Amino acid sequence: MIQDRYALAFKLYPYRKSPDQDAGSPARHPVVVVGCGPIGLATALDLGRQGIPVVLLDDHEGIGMGSRAICFSKRTLDIADRYGCGAPMLDKGVIWNVGKVFQDDRQVFEFNLLPENGHANPAFINLQQPYFEKFIFEQICQEQANGAPIEIRGKNRVDAIETFDDHTVLDITTPDGPYQLKADWVIACDGAGSPLRGMMGLAFDGRVFQDSFLIADIKMVSDSFPTERWFWFEPYFKSGASTLLHKQPDDVWRVDFQIGWDVDRTEELKEENIRRRLDAMLGNDVEYEMVWSSIYTFQCRRMQKFRHNRVIFAGDSAHQVSPFGARGANSGMQDVDNLGWKLGLVINGLAPDSLLDSYDDERIHGADENILNSTRATDFITPKSKASHTFRNAVLTLAEKHAFARPLVNSGRLSVPCVYDTSPLNGPDTLPGGPSQTRAGSACTDAPLGRDYLLRQLGDQFVLLAINTNAPGGLEVDNIKIRTVALSTADDPGGALAERYLGTADSAVYLIRPDQHVAARWPSYDAASLRTALRKACGKD
Amino acid sequence: MGKLNTKPNIAAPDDFYADLIAAHDGKSDAESEAFNARLILVLANHIGDRDILQEALNVAR
Ligand SMILES: Cc1cc2nc3c(=O)[nH]c(=O)nc-3n(C[C@H](O)[C@H](O)[C@H](O)COP(=O)(O)OP(=O)(O)OC[C@H]3O[C@@H](n4cnc5c(N)ncnc54)[C@H](O)[C@@H]3O)c2cc1C
């Protein structure tokens, strides 16, 4: 039998017996993705959109209920846009820009995330993770209707894995008993507790933070709290050593209390005890309904390598961070974005298998950046020594009056797109006067183009972006198509494109990867240079 | 205020802060306090200017 380990918010893929379960010998599939969390779903969507057959396995029949991710970054929305499911997320999500930091009963300072103007997507939206996953799932259904070869199998639990040079065999348990599958590639998106990682005996080392957080999602209609991120250090209402308040859709608010390490979980999770903390914070006369509560402890750790020959780890199975900075799901989405096109090229025989090693290079760099930032934020929020506590409070006290102390206040450094500065896939960055923002390795910055936006024109193939200079269309290198997007000052009434892509140069040609990262840039087009750069971006030379 | 710079002036402030806290790793409270005192004296000497030091004393008050 397969017991559910958690309750479902949405039952989306009820168990159905697959013909594979009655096959005489294990059926073989190009890609099996294990785990239907946000990262597994997005991986299947990415590959399916490329026409690559994917089987997605999960030990449940839908999306788990409960309070996990709420903050989704612009980069995640840009990726979702590329997959066709950004619009419903933006529609449902709560857009926010302002954060306020308090100590005791004083406001220490306020920040505004609003980046430059002229981006299709906001810096952040808040959206309950089950909705985020559901929108990806719905896009999968739409792609399936258009013929994308994606198959989801609910109540299919992977219980054993055996790896070979050119394939992997999975033992799967279902309500109808066990069966086996062979896969050319396995993508392990089975979460922080990754059973696959365990079965393969791979380490997952890092730091455990000795503190617990009580998370309460409550429903209230209130005018007293704006759509802002409010964070208290040592709040006057004493409901936690720190407290976070943040709005979600459907009039739901996330409240997060830091309650210490040695706590009696059962006691703390009693509704009357949670309400005691909430009432102290909100005032006794505020009405609210409890939607969900749980207690979390946090860790920052990663696997040493994410790629193990034909088994590739992505999302929380590969790396885990504390939530201060919203770098969990947001970094997992960058894993998918990075892996999808590479695996597609390798499976279609257009790039060598070694291209996948660059997934390790690039995403381990990303994971380290995320771990560093979320470790530092957690250290600031939960200081572990007296000296650290003294400095923390000194910073907070000074920040109220003195600008210099504000950059030191750390209630979470929010997720920003990773720049692959040292990636082996980067080609020449030879655009004199070119902005640093769009250097080789960086994710393309959006810019308004009359009625449209730049990122929406880039799509998910290799693109040659030519600005104020000629480049031929219909390009192809080693059977890999490169779409040319030619723009000029006339397409750029506000000047943002020039500012972000030309700097002081008169013209530019960018080679942009399918994940919309810059591979190389030059002042003008040259066939031989393009060929070399494209081959490098595909791990060939 | 006069000459004391109270605008952000440290590149990569998070790196600096992490180094500062790490410098206290493994120290007892008394050792940390002594370390801080030495650090203040070192920095004060670098600043040198008595007016600025006086302003800094006021800011920290
Ligand atoms: C309190 C909290 C707040 C957070 N806030 C944010 C935030 O604001 N922003 C953000 O970006 N991130 C946030 N995160 C992190 C985010 O929730 C995770 O990064 C994200 O869920 C990871 O997705 P995943 O798909 O890798 O793994 P999961 O969501 O854990 O999915 C794994 C899936 O694999 C399935 N599975 C497991 N074992 C097997 C098996 N043997 N066979 C078949 N299936 C299996 C599971 O049932 C599950 O469906 C937060 C996390 C917490 C706890």
Side-chain angles (χ1 to χ4, degrees), chain A residues 373 376 380 386-388 391-392 395 398 402-404 407-408 410 413, chain B residues 6-8 13-18 20-21 24 29 32 36 59-60:
Chain A
N373 278 290
R376 285 177 176 177
F380 194 87
K386 187 157 172 254
S388 165
F391 272 113
R392 199 277 302 272
V395 165
L398 288 165
H402 302 289
F404 84 91
L408 298 172
N410 192 343
R413 298 278 178 250
Chain B
T6 57
K7 302 255 151 32
D14 284 350
D15 291 350
F16 158 70
Y17 192 80
L20 177 64
I21 300 305
H24 288 267
D29 293 349
S32 273
N36 282 339
V59 162

PDB file of all heavy atoms in Angstrom, chain A residues 373 376 380 386-388 391-392 395 398 402-404 407-408 410 413, chain B residues 6-8 13-18 20-21 24 29 32 36 59-60:
ATOM      1  N   ASN A 373      24.024  33.593   0.956  1.00  0.00           N
ATOM      2  CA  ASN A 373      23.097  34.672   1.304  1.00  0.00           C
ATOM      3  C   ASN A 373      22.086  34.263   2.357  1.00  0.00           C
ATOM      4  O   ASN A 373      21.786  35.033   3.261  1.00  0.00           O
ATOM      5  CB  ASN A 373      22.370  35.165   0.046  1.00  0.00           C
ATOM      6  CG  ASN A 373      23.215  36.147  -0.717  1.00  0.00           C
ATOM      7  OD1 ASN A 373      23.436  37.263  -0.272  1.00  0.00           O
ATOM      8  ND2 ASN A 373      23.726  35.731  -1.862  1.00  0.00           N
ATOM      9  N   ARG A 376      23.826  33.908   5.809  1.00  0.00           N
ATOM     10  CA  ARG A 376      24.093  35.204   6.439  1.00  0.00           C
ATOM     11  C   ARG A 376      22.817  35.837   6.983  1.00  0.00           C
ATOM     12  O   ARG A 376      22.813  36.401   8.079  1.00  0.00           O
ATOM     13  CB  ARG A 376      24.738  36.137   5.428  1.00  0.00           C
ATOM     14  CG  ARG A 376      26.184  35.773   5.176  1.00  0.00           C
ATOM     15  CD  ARG A 376      26.767  36.666   4.125  1.00  0.00           C
ATOM     16  NE  ARG A 376      28.183  36.373   3.941  1.00  0.00           N
ATOM     17  CZ  ARG A 376      28.924  36.976   3.021  1.00  0.00           C
ATOM     18  NH1 ARG A 376      28.383  37.887   2.216  1.00  0.00           N
ATOM     19  NH2 ARG A 376      30.197  36.675   2.911  1.00  0.00           N
ATOM     20  N   PHE A 380      21.990  36.662  10.908  1.00  0.00           N
ATOM     21  CA  PHE A 380      21.620  37.996  11.387  1.00  0.00           C
ATOM     22  C   PHE A 380      20.307  37.941  12.171  1.00  0.00           C
ATOM     23  O   PHE A 380      20.149  38.593  13.195  1.00  0.00           O
ATOM     24  CB  PHE A 380      21.483  38.948  10.189  1.00  0.00           C
ATOM     25  CG  PHE A 380      21.436  40.403  10.567  1.00  0.00           C
ATOM     26  CD1 PHE A 380      22.611  41.133  10.717  1.00  0.00           C
ATOM     27  CD2 PHE A 380      20.229  41.042  10.784  1.00  0.00           C
ATOM     28  CE1 PHE A 380      22.578  42.475  11.074  1.00  0.00           C
ATOM     29  CE2 PHE A 380      20.178  42.395  11.139  1.00  0.00           C
ATOM     30  CZ  PHE A 380      21.364  43.111  11.283  1.00  0.00           C
ATOM     31  N   LYS A 386      26.868  35.967  21.781  1.00  0.00           N
ATOM     32  CA  LYS A 386      26.534  37.242  22.399  1.00  0.00           C
ATOM     33  C   LYS A 386      27.093  38.387  21.559  1.00  0.00           C
ATOM     34  O   LYS A 386      26.416  39.400  21.329  1.00  0.00           O
ATOM     35  CB  LYS A 386      27.099  37.275  23.821  1.00  0.00           C
ATOM     36  CG  LYS A 386      26.653  38.486  24.595  1.00  0.00           C
ATOM     37  CD  LYS A 386      26.711  38.280  26.101  1.00  0.00           C
ATOM     38  CE  LYS A 386      26.429  39.614  26.795  1.00  0.00           C
ATOM     39  NZ  LYS A 386      27.649  40.211  27.364  1.00  0.00           N
ATOM     40  N   ALA A 387      28.317  38.202  21.058  1.00  0.00           N
ATOM     41  CA  ALA A 387      28.934  39.266  20.254  1.00  0.00           C
ATOM     42  C   ALA A 387      28.102  39.526  19.002  1.00  0.00           C
ATOM     43  O   ALA A 387      27.833  40.673  18.643  1.00  0.00           O
ATOM     44  CB  ALA A 387      30.354  38.863  19.869  1.00  0.00           C
ATOM     45  N   SER A 388      27.666  38.460  18.358  1.00  0.00           N
ATOM     46  CA  SER A 388      26.892  38.593  17.144  1.00  0.00           C
ATOM     47  C   SER A 388      25.555  39.293  17.424  1.00  0.00           C
ATOM     48  O   SER A 388      25.087  40.142  16.660  1.00  0.00           O
ATOM     49  CB  SER A 388      26.704  37.187  16.568  1.00  0.00           C
ATOM     50  OG  SER A 388      25.721  37.156  15.603  1.00  0.00           O
ATOM     51  N   PHE A 391      26.261  43.069  18.016  1.00  0.00           N
ATOM     52  CA  PHE A 391      26.476  43.786  16.750  1.00  0.00           C
ATOM     53  C   PHE A 391      25.159  43.947  15.994  1.00  0.00           C
ATOM     54  O   PHE A 391      24.870  44.989  15.430  1.00  0.00           O
ATOM     55  CB  PHE A 391      27.502  43.062  15.873  1.00  0.00           C
ATOM     56  CG  PHE A 391      28.910  43.485  16.157  1.00  0.00           C
ATOM     57  CD1 PHE A 391      29.823  42.614  16.726  1.00  0.00           C
ATOM     58  CD2 PHE A 391      29.318  44.782  15.858  1.00  0.00           C
ATOM     59  CE1 PHE A 391      31.121  43.022  17.004  1.00  0.00           C
ATOM     60  CE2 PHE A 391      30.622  45.190  16.126  1.00  0.00           C
ATOM     61  CZ  PHE A 391      31.517  44.309  16.703  1.00  0.00           C
ATOM     62  N   ARG A 392      24.381  42.870  15.960  1.00  0.00           N
ATOM     63  CA  ARG A 392      23.111  42.914  15.243  1.00  0.00           C
ATOM     64  C   ARG A 392      22.252  44.071  15.767  1.00  0.00           C
ATOM     65  O   ARG A 392      21.753  44.902  15.016  1.00  0.00           O
ATOM     66  CB  ARG A 392      22.394  41.572  15.438  1.00  0.00           C
ATOM     67  CG  ARG A 392      21.303  41.259  14.430  1.00  0.00           C
ATOM     68  CD  ARG A 392      19.961  41.865  14.719  1.00  0.00           C
ATOM     69  NE  ARG A 392      19.346  41.544  15.987  1.00  0.00           N
ATOM     70  CZ  ARG A 392      18.566  40.490  16.228  1.00  0.00           C
ATOM     71  NH1 ARG A 392      18.354  39.602  15.294  1.00  0.00           N
ATOM     72  NH2 ARG A 392      17.998  40.329  17.419  1.00  0.00           N
ATOM     73  N   VAL A 395      23.583  47.493  14.856  1.00  0.00           N
ATOM     74  CA  VAL A 395      23.238  47.836  13.472  1.00  0.00           C
ATOM     75  C   VAL A 395      21.806  48.357  13.409  1.00  0.00           C
ATOM     76  O   VAL A 395      21.513  49.394  12.808  1.00  0.00           O
ATOM     77  CB  VAL A 395      23.403  46.609  12.542  1.00  0.00           C
ATOM     78  CG1 VAL A 395      22.719  46.840  11.207  1.00  0.00           C
ATOM     79  CG2 VAL A 395      24.874  46.284  12.339  1.00  0.00           C
ATOM     80  N   LEU A 398      21.478  51.844  14.962  1.00  0.00           N
ATOM     81  CA  LEU A 398      22.068  52.899  14.129  1.00  0.00           C
ATOM     82  C   LEU A 398      21.267  53.117  12.835  1.00  0.00           C
ATOM     83  O   LEU A 398      21.185  54.234  12.330  1.00  0.00           O
ATOM     84  CB  LEU A 398      23.514  52.536  13.779  1.00  0.00           C
ATOM     85  CG  LEU A 398      24.509  52.646  14.939  1.00  0.00           C
ATOM     86  CD1 LEU A 398      25.811  51.927  14.603  1.00  0.00           C
ATOM     87  CD2 LEU A 398      24.782  54.110  15.288  1.00  0.00           C
ATOM     88  N   HIS A 402      20.918  56.485  10.701  1.00  0.00           N
ATOM     89  CA  HIS A 402      22.112  56.651   9.867  1.00  0.00           C
ATOM     90  C   HIS A 402      22.108  55.701   8.679  1.00  0.00           C
ATOM     91  O   HIS A 402      22.051  54.481   8.846  1.00  0.00           O
ATOM     92  CB  HIS A 402      23.370  56.435  10.707  1.00  0.00           C
ATOM     93  CG  HIS A 402      23.431  57.375  11.872  1.00  0.00           C
ATOM     94  ND1 HIS A 402      23.674  58.724  11.716  1.00  0.00           N
ATOM     95  CD2 HIS A 402      23.220  57.171  13.184  1.00  0.00           C
ATOM     96  CE1 HIS A 402      23.643  59.310  12.909  1.00  0.00           C
ATOM     97  NE2 HIS A 402      23.364  58.395  13.815  1.00  0.00           N
ATOM     98  N   ALA A 403      22.206  56.283   7.501  1.00  0.00           N
ATOM     99  CA  ALA A 403      22.103  55.504   6.263  1.00  0.00           C
ATOM    100  C   ALA A 403      23.158  54.409   6.193  1.00  0.00           C
ATOM    101  O   ALA A 403      22.897  53.329   5.662  1.00  0.00           O
ATOM    102  CB  ALA A 403      22.226  56.427   5.061  1.00  0.00           C
ATOM    103  N   PHE A 404      24.339  54.657   6.730  1.00  0.00           N
ATOM    104  CA  PHE A 404      25.432  53.697   6.534  1.00  0.00           C
ATOM    105  C   PHE A 404      25.106  52.325   7.111  1.00  0.00           C
ATOM    106  O   PHE A 404      25.591  51.309   6.614  1.00  0.00           O
ATOM    107  CB  PHE A 404      26.742  54.233   7.130  1.00  0.00           C
ATOM    108  CG  PHE A 404      26.892  53.984   8.606  1.00  0.00           C
ATOM    109  CD1 PHE A 404      27.520  52.835   9.058  1.00  0.00           C
ATOM    110  CD2 PHE A 404      26.408  54.889   9.546  1.00  0.00           C
ATOM    111  CE1 PHE A 404      27.664  52.593  10.417  1.00  0.00           C
ATOM    112  CE2 PHE A 404      26.541  54.653  10.896  1.00  0.00           C
ATOM    113  CZ  PHE A 404      27.165  53.504  11.344  1.00  0.00           C
ATOM    114  N   PRO A 407      22.525  49.142   4.890  1.00  0.00           N
ATOM    115  CA  PRO A 407      22.905  47.985   4.065  1.00  0.00           C
ATOM    116  C   PRO A 407      23.317  46.772   4.897  1.00  0.00           C
ATOM    117  O   PRO A 407      23.368  45.665   4.380  1.00  0.00           O
ATOM    118  CB  PRO A 407      24.113  48.497   3.251  1.00  0.00           C
ATOM    119  CG  PRO A 407      24.034  49.981   3.333  1.00  0.00           C
ATOM    120  CD  PRO A 407      23.361  50.310   4.634  1.00  0.00           C
ATOM    121  N   LEU A 408      23.612  46.994   6.178  1.00  0.00           N
ATOM    122  CA  LEU A 408      24.031  45.869   7.016  1.00  0.00           C
ATOM    123  C   LEU A 408      22.839  45.121   7.610  1.00  0.00           C
ATOM    124  O   LEU A 408      22.977  43.993   8.081  1.00  0.00           O
ATOM    125  CB  LEU A 408      24.938  46.367   8.148  1.00  0.00           C
ATOM    126  CG  LEU A 408      26.258  47.021   7.707  1.00  0.00           C
ATOM    127  CD1 LEU A 408      26.965  47.655   8.907  1.00  0.00           C
ATOM    128  CD2 LEU A 408      27.185  45.999   7.050  1.00  0.00           C
ATOM    129  N   ASN A 410      19.952  42.785   7.717  1.00  0.00           N
ATOM    130  CA  ASN A 410      19.714  41.635   6.841  1.00  0.00           C
ATOM    131  C   ASN A 410      18.521  40.812   7.329  1.00  0.00           C
ATOM    132  O   ASN A 410      18.652  39.949   8.185  1.00  0.00           O
ATOM    133  CB  ASN A 410      20.990  40.782   6.782  1.00  0.00           C
ATOM    134  CG  ASN A 410      20.934  39.751   5.676  1.00  0.00           C
ATOM    135  OD1 ASN A 410      19.858  39.452   5.159  1.00  0.00           O
ATOM    136  ND2 ASN A 410      22.074  39.204   5.320  1.00  0.00           N
ATOM    137  N   ARG A 413      18.187  38.503   1.979  1.00  0.00           N
ATOM    138  CA  ARG A 413      18.580  39.121   0.696  1.00  0.00           C
ATOM    139  C   ARG A 413      17.799  38.393  -0.378  1.00  0.00           C
ATOM    140  O   ARG A 413      18.047  37.220  -0.659  1.00  0.00           O
ATOM    141  CB  ARG A 413      20.084  38.940   0.452  1.00  0.00           C
ATOM    142  CG  ARG A 413      20.940  39.609   1.498  1.00  0.00           C
ATOM    143  CD  ARG A 413      21.123  41.096   1.212  1.00  0.00           C
ATOM    144  NE  ARG A 413      21.914  41.726   2.259  1.00  0.00           N
ATOM    145  CZ  ARG A 413      21.432  42.597   3.152  1.00  0.00           C
ATOM    146  NH1 ARG A 413      20.164  42.956   3.139  1.00  0.00           N
ATOM    147  NH2 ARG A 413      22.225  43.126   4.057  1.00  0.00           N
TER     148      ARG A 413
ATOM    149  N   THR B   6      28.433  59.300   7.247  1.00  0.00           N
ATOM    150  CA  THR B   6      27.424  58.342   7.722  1.00  0.00           C
ATOM    151  C   THR B   6      26.606  57.768   6.562  1.00  0.00           C
ATOM    152  O   THR B   6      25.559  57.191   6.752  1.00  0.00           O
ATOM    153  CB  THR B   6      26.467  58.969   8.760  1.00  0.00           C
ATOM    154  OG1 THR B   6      25.847  60.103   8.163  1.00  0.00           O
ATOM    155  CG2 THR B   6      27.198  59.380  10.013  1.00  0.00           C
ATOM    156  N   LYS B   7      27.127  57.980   5.353  1.00  0.00           N
ATOM    157  CA  LYS B   7      26.515  57.343   4.174  1.00  0.00           C
ATOM    158  C   LYS B   7      27.151  55.952   4.023  1.00  0.00           C
ATOM    159  O   LYS B   7      28.271  55.731   4.476  1.00  0.00           O
ATOM    160  CB  LYS B   7      26.825  58.153   2.908  1.00  0.00           C
ATOM    161  CG  LYS B   7      26.369  59.589   2.952  1.00  0.00           C
ATOM    162  CD  LYS B   7      25.131  59.765   2.096  1.00  0.00           C
ATOM    163  CE  LYS B   7      24.221  60.865   2.584  1.00  0.00           C
ATOM    164  NZ  LYS B   7      24.855  62.009   3.237  1.00  0.00           N
ATOM    165  N   PRO B   8      26.451  55.039   3.368  1.00  0.00           N
ATOM    166  CA  PRO B   8      27.073  53.725   3.131  1.00  0.00           C
ATOM    167  C   PRO B   8      28.420  53.902   2.427  1.00  0.00           C
ATOM    168  O   PRO B   8      28.521  54.637   1.454  1.00  0.00           O
ATOM    169  CB  PRO B   8      26.062  53.021   2.219  1.00  0.00           C
ATOM    170  CG  PRO B   8      24.758  53.668   2.511  1.00  0.00           C
ATOM    171  CD  PRO B   8      25.090  55.108   2.809  1.00  0.00           C
ATOM    172  N   PRO B  13      28.881  45.068   1.730  1.00  0.00           N
ATOM    173  CA  PRO B  13      28.694  45.147   3.187  1.00  0.00           C
ATOM    174  C   PRO B  13      28.440  43.785   3.847  1.00  0.00           C
ATOM    175  O   PRO B  13      28.877  43.562   4.972  1.00  0.00           O
ATOM    176  CB  PRO B  13      27.474  46.069   3.358  1.00  0.00           C
ATOM    177  CG  PRO B  13      26.844  46.188   2.011  1.00  0.00           C
ATOM    178  CD  PRO B  13      27.902  45.908   1.005  1.00  0.00           C
ATOM    179  N   ASP B  14      27.746  42.897   3.139  1.00  0.00           N
ATOM    180  CA  ASP B  14      27.484  41.579   3.744  1.00  0.00           C
ATOM    181  C   ASP B  14      28.774  40.794   3.963  1.00  0.00           C
ATOM    182  O   ASP B  14      28.905  40.056   4.946  1.00  0.00           O
ATOM    183  CB  ASP B  14      26.538  40.749   2.865  1.00  0.00           C
ATOM    184  CG  ASP B  14      25.086  41.216   2.977  1.00  0.00           C
ATOM    185  OD1 ASP B  14      24.782  42.037   3.870  1.00  0.00           O
ATOM    186  OD2 ASP B  14      24.263  40.762   2.161  1.00  0.00           O
ATOM    187  N   ASP B  15      29.722  40.943   3.057  1.00  0.00           N
ATOM    188  CA  ASP B  15      31.018  40.258   3.221  1.00  0.00           C
ATOM    189  C   ASP B  15      31.729  40.793   4.462  1.00  0.00           C
ATOM    190  O   ASP B  15      32.263  40.045   5.276  1.00  0.00           O
ATOM    191  CB  ASP B  15      31.938  40.498   2.009  1.00  0.00           C
ATOM    192  CG  ASP B  15      31.433  39.786   0.757  1.00  0.00           C
ATOM    193  OD1 ASP B  15      30.502  38.965   0.874  1.00  0.00           O
ATOM    194  OD2 ASP B  15      31.962  40.058  -0.338  1.00  0.00           O
ATOM    195  N   PHE B  16      31.732  42.122   4.574  1.00  0.00           N
ATOM    196  CA  PHE B  16      32.387  42.729   5.732  1.00  0.00           C
ATOM    197  C   PHE B  16      31.736  42.257   7.027  1.00  0.00           C
ATOM    198  O   PHE B  16      32.420  41.854   7.973  1.00  0.00           O
ATOM    199  CB  PHE B  16      32.335  44.263   5.654  1.00  0.00           C
ATOM    200  CG  PHE B  16      32.510  44.912   6.997  1.00  0.00           C
ATOM    201  CD1 PHE B  16      33.743  44.870   7.638  1.00  0.00           C
ATOM    202  CD2 PHE B  16      31.431  45.514   7.656  1.00  0.00           C
ATOM    203  CE1 PHE B  16      33.902  45.425   8.908  1.00  0.00           C
ATOM    204  CE2 PHE B  16      31.590  46.061   8.918  1.00  0.00           C
ATOM    205  CZ  PHE B  16      32.818  46.019   9.544  1.00  0.00           C
ATOM    206  N   TYR B  17      30.406  42.286   7.056  1.00  0.00           N
ATOM    207  CA  TYR B  17      29.704  41.919   8.290  1.00  0.00           C
ATOM    208  C   TYR B  17      30.007  40.467   8.669  1.00  0.00           C
ATOM    209  O   TYR B  17      30.229  40.144   9.844  1.00  0.00           O
ATOM    210  CB  TYR B  17      28.196  42.148   8.136  1.00  0.00           C
ATOM    211  CG  TYR B  17      27.451  42.064   9.441  1.00  0.00           C
ATOM    212  CD1 TYR B  17      27.442  43.145  10.324  1.00  0.00           C
ATOM    213  CD2 TYR B  17      26.777  40.912   9.807  1.00  0.00           C
ATOM    214  CE1 TYR B  17      26.783  43.072  11.540  1.00  0.00           C
ATOM    215  CE2 TYR B  17      26.110  40.815  11.022  1.00  0.00           C
ATOM    216  CZ  TYR B  17      26.112  41.900  11.888  1.00  0.00           C
ATOM    217  OH  TYR B  17      25.458  41.810  13.097  1.00  0.00           O
ATOM    218  N   ALA B  18      30.036  39.606   7.668  1.00  0.00           N
ATOM    219  CA  ALA B  18      30.335  38.192   7.936  1.00  0.00           C
ATOM    220  C   ALA B  18      31.748  38.046   8.517  1.00  0.00           C
ATOM    221  O   ALA B  18      31.973  37.278   9.456  1.00  0.00           O
ATOM    222  CB  ALA B  18      30.186  37.374   6.664  1.00  0.00           C
ATOM    223  N   LEU B  20      33.380  40.318  10.201  1.00  0.00           N
ATOM    224  CA  LEU B  20      33.361  40.897  11.548  1.00  0.00           C
ATOM    225  C   LEU B  20      32.846  39.873  12.556  1.00  0.00           C
ATOM    226  O   LEU B  20      33.444  39.661  13.621  1.00  0.00           O
ATOM    227  CB  LEU B  20      32.465  42.150  11.542  1.00  0.00           C
ATOM    228  CG  LEU B  20      32.263  42.863  12.875  1.00  0.00           C
ATOM    229  CD1 LEU B  20      33.576  43.429  13.392  1.00  0.00           C
ATOM    230  CD2 LEU B  20      31.228  43.977  12.731  1.00  0.00           C
ATOM    231  N   ILE B  21      31.721  39.217  12.202  1.00  0.00           N
ATOM    232  CA  ILE B  21      31.145  38.241  13.129  1.00  0.00           C
ATOM    233  C   ILE B  21      32.072  37.025  13.240  1.00  0.00           C
ATOM    234  O   ILE B  21      32.287  36.487  14.331  1.00  0.00           O
ATOM    235  CB  ILE B  21      29.727  37.817  12.669  1.00  0.00           C
ATOM    236  CG1 ILE B  21      28.798  39.049  12.601  1.00  0.00           C
ATOM    237  CG2 ILE B  21      29.141  36.751  13.596  1.00  0.00           C
ATOM    238  CD1 ILE B  21      28.691  39.861  13.877  1.00  0.00           C
ATOM    239  N   HIS B  24      34.817  36.839  15.761  1.00  0.00           N
ATOM    240  CA  HIS B  24      34.472  36.547  17.159  1.00  0.00           C
ATOM    241  C   HIS B  24      34.254  35.063  17.423  1.00  0.00           C
ATOM    242  O   HIS B  24      34.035  34.672  18.566  1.00  0.00           O
ATOM    243  CB  HIS B  24      33.203  37.318  17.552  1.00  0.00           C
ATOM    244  CG  HIS B  24      33.427  38.788  17.697  1.00  0.00           C
ATOM    245  ND1 HIS B  24      33.738  39.383  18.894  1.00  0.00           N
ATOM    246  CD2 HIS B  24      33.409  39.774  16.782  1.00  0.00           C
ATOM    247  CE1 HIS B  24      33.892  40.693  18.717  1.00  0.00           C
ATOM    248  NE2 HIS B  24      33.705  40.956  17.436  1.00  0.00           N
ATOM    249  N   ASP B  29      32.816  35.764  26.005  1.00  0.00           N
ATOM    250  CA  ASP B  29      32.266  37.123  26.013  1.00  0.00           C
ATOM    251  C   ASP B  29      33.350  38.147  26.362  1.00  0.00           C
ATOM    252  O   ASP B  29      33.436  39.217  25.758  1.00  0.00           O
ATOM    253  CB  ASP B  29      31.107  37.226  27.010  1.00  0.00           C
ATOM    254  CG  ASP B  29      29.905  36.389  26.549  1.00  0.00           C
ATOM    255  OD1 ASP B  29      29.919  35.920  25.392  1.00  0.00           O
ATOM    256  OD2 ASP B  29      28.984  36.204  27.353  1.00  0.00           O
ATOM    257  N   SER B  32      35.641  38.630  23.477  1.00  0.00           N
ATOM    258  CA  SER B  32      34.979  39.413  22.434  1.00  0.00           C
ATOM    259  C   SER B  32      35.007  40.898  22.762  1.00  0.00           C
ATOM    260  O   SER B  32      35.254  41.748  21.907  1.00  0.00           O
ATOM    261  CB  SER B  32      33.517  38.985  22.294  1.00  0.00           C
ATOM    262  OG  SER B  32      33.409  37.908  21.421  1.00  0.00           O
ATOM    263  N   ASN B  36      36.796  43.796  20.631  1.00  0.00           N
ATOM    264  CA  ASN B  36      36.109  45.001  20.148  1.00  0.00           C
ATOM    265  C   ASN B  36      36.842  46.272  20.563  1.00  0.00           C
ATOM    266  O   ASN B  36      36.964  47.214  19.784  1.00  0.00           O
ATOM    267  CB  ASN B  36      34.667  45.040  20.673  1.00  0.00           C
ATOM    268  CG  ASN B  36      33.768  44.096  19.882  1.00  0.00           C
ATOM    269  OD1 ASN B  36      34.104  43.731  18.753  1.00  0.00           O
ATOM    270  ND2 ASN B  36      32.651  43.706  20.461  1.00  0.00           N
ATOM    271  N   VAL B  59      27.482  59.936  17.538  1.00  0.00           N
ATOM    272  CA  VAL B  59      26.571  59.060  16.786  1.00  0.00           C
ATOM    273  C   VAL B  59      26.304  57.757  17.555  1.00  0.00           C
ATOM    274  O   VAL B  59      25.189  57.248  17.573  1.00  0.00           O
ATOM    275  CB  VAL B  59      27.165  58.744  15.390  1.00  0.00           C
ATOM    276  CG1 VAL B  59      26.497  57.523  14.773  1.00  0.00           C
ATOM    277  CG2 VAL B  59      26.993  59.940  14.470  1.00  0.00           C
ATOM    278  N   ALA B  60      27.336  57.245  18.161  1.00  0.00           N
ATOM    279  CA  ALA B  60      27.215  55.942  18.821  1.00  0.00           C
ATOM    280  C   ALA B  60      26.520  56.032  20.182  1.00  0.00           C
ATOM    281  O   ALA B  60      26.180  55.009  20.774  1.00  0.00           O
ATOM    282  CB  ALA B  60      28.595  55.310  18.979  1.00  0.00           C
TER     283      ALA B  60
END
